[in-house]
Amino acid sequence: MEEAIPSIYQKSSRMMPKTEFYDAYGAAHPNVFGMRDEEMHSIRRRHESHSFSTSYIKEMEQYLDTNIGILKEKIRRHSLQGDVFDLKKVLHYYVIDVLGELAFSQTFGVQEADDESRVPPVVEHSLLAAVTGSWPAMTKTLKKWLPIVPHKGLQKLFAGRKACADLASVCVQRRLGVLRNGSPDLGAPERKDILTNLIKAKDPETGKSLTQTDLETEAFGFIIAGTHTTSATTSLLFYHLLHNPEYLAELVNEIDKNLPPLDNKKPAYSITEAETLLPFLRDCMRENFRITPVFTMPLARRVMHPEGLVISGQYIPQGSVTMPFTITHAYGEKTTISSIRIGGKFRK
Ligand code: HEM
């Protein structure tokens, strides 16, 4: 199974392109996630690559410290009072504010407000897209007609999608305003963030900037891609540690042994410190990704190689749609297989 991931996802996108499944995430104005046009995707990727590098995160650490401070204070208060509290929710609020800083140079203020209604409803969009995308021949039709079906549950999903799109739009307008008019009360124009890097990006050939629609659709993607994934992963890490006290103790010991205690002047350890001095933490994080991956949607790719491909000893002919698959039996045992769906007629 392990070799299936690089074979499917790290091959050149010409050889294993994204399938129609991704159209459900926004075919008319796709963001980098849903973009199936290879050239457009690679240009957009280039525009975003620095924003997703470790060196960029290091530059941003100073802005994350305030949010870490709020998170720590919340947990400390609950602990002192002996409260039973929802760690998953506390981490979720923290991650949303951090995403705000990284992507838009603004906090969403969810931690301070402690208000669920400020949480962007991202699950709704992901659910809609994953379900409609699983029926590629009907995705377009479903996207057109489902929004007008008078079904309460469906309407809630579309309302959630719209709320995220509206939020993205507000973030873009706000940041454009700051950069154009320099409104210091709304944010520092000199600050960098993922969106600002995109606003300043130019097409390598035409020299054109991204349109406001492009920016809004990318901002929507950041909200969807960057919140639930990260908070669920962090919650699961704590879940595993709390259910395996011997590993938790080993991790605490590693931190105590290798790093000085934190205080008001130093609210958090840097990435460099964590990366170089906490190898056991890195192993725990990797193991968490392995046993409880949060991104379990069928990210289908198409085999383009004329001779087909062999993945995990299984021959997959050209034109097949493929994805790694995990089956969880009712009694909890997990079997991981490489599941292949052979497409109908092969169309380029
Ligand atoms: C633990 C956290 C995260 C996980 C597990 C995760 C997982 C994934 C996966 C599986 C993909 C799809 C790759 C594909 O289809 O080939 C993806 C794409 C993407 N993610 Fe994340 N992600 C996480 C955090 C984030 C964050 C914080 C952001 C920030 C905004 C982000 C932005 C993106 C973008 C822009 C793409 C599209 C990349 C492309 O197609 O080139 N993700 N992510």
Side-chain angles (χ1 to χ4, degrees), residues 50-63:
H50 175 62
S51 305
F52 290 94
S53 64
T54 312
S55 61
Y56 169 73
I57 301 292
K58 283 179 188 164
E59 282 173 46
M60 297 298 281
E61 273 174 349
Q62 51 177 316
Y63 303 115

Side-chain angles (χ1 to χ4, degrees), residues 18 22 32-33 41 45 52 222 225-226 229-230 233 295 301:
K18 295 177 176 180
Y22 288 82
V32 69
F33 177 81
H41 183 258
R45 272 290 286 248
F52 290 94
F222 301 151
T229 44
T230 318
T233 300
F295 207 124
R301 299 298 182 99

Side-chain angles (χ1 to χ4, degrees), residues 8-9 13 16-37 41 125 129-130 132-136 139 143 161 295 297-302 321-324 341:
I8 298 174
Y9 296 106
S13 57
M16 294 295 288
K18 295 177 176 180
T19 57
E20 297 78 3
F21 171 77
Y22 288 82
D23 290 347
Y25 292 80
H29 287 289
N31 54 35
V32 69
F33 177 81
M35 226 168 238
R36 295 207 289 128
D37 182 291
H41 183 258
H125 166 74
T132 52
S134 302
W135 194 4
T139 304
K143 277 172 87 172
R161 177 180 274 177
F295 207 124
M297 283 184 265
L299 298 166
R301 299 298 182 99
R302 180 167 282 114
V321 169
T322 178
M323 70 200 98
R341 286 195 333 216

Side-chain angles (χ1 to χ4, degrees), residues 189-210:
E190 70 282 0
R191 251 184 82 167
K192 289 185 196 155
D193 57 59
I194 311 177
L195 176 66
T196 302
N197 291 343
L198 271 183
I199 293 173
K200 293 184 175 166
K202 299 259 188 278
D203 185 286
E205 274 180 21
T206 62
K208 276 191 183 162
S209 304
L210 271 72

Side-chain angles (χ1 to χ4, degrees), residues 2 20 22 24 81 83 96 108 114 139 161 192 218 261 315 336 347:
E2 243 178 81
E20 297 78 3
Y22 288 82
Q81 291 167 1
D83 298 338
I96 291 166
F108 287 122
D114 214 3
T139 304
R161 177 180 274 177
K192 289 185 196 155
E218 289 300 338
Y315 172 66
T336 317
R347 275 173 296 151

Side-chain angles (χ1 to χ4, degrees), residues 77-131:
R77 212 176 44 238
H78 283 311
S79 311
L80 287 176
Q81 291 167 1
D83 298 338
V84 173
F85 69 102
D86 188 342
L87 180 64
K88 183 168 173 274
K89 198 181 227 183
V90 168
L91 291 171
H92 193 44
Y93 289 7
Y94 158 74
V95 164
I96 291 166
D97 286 345
V98 165
L99 190 270
E101 296 286 359
L102 291 178
F104 309 117
S105 288
Q106 69 173 92
T107 172
F108 287 122
V110 185
Q111 285 209 96
E112 294 248 278
D114 214 3
D115 178 1
E116 188 73 27
S117 71
R118 287 184 178 225
V119 172
V122 306
V123 175
E124 282 78 347
H125 166 74
S126 306
L127 188 60
L128 269 175
V131 172

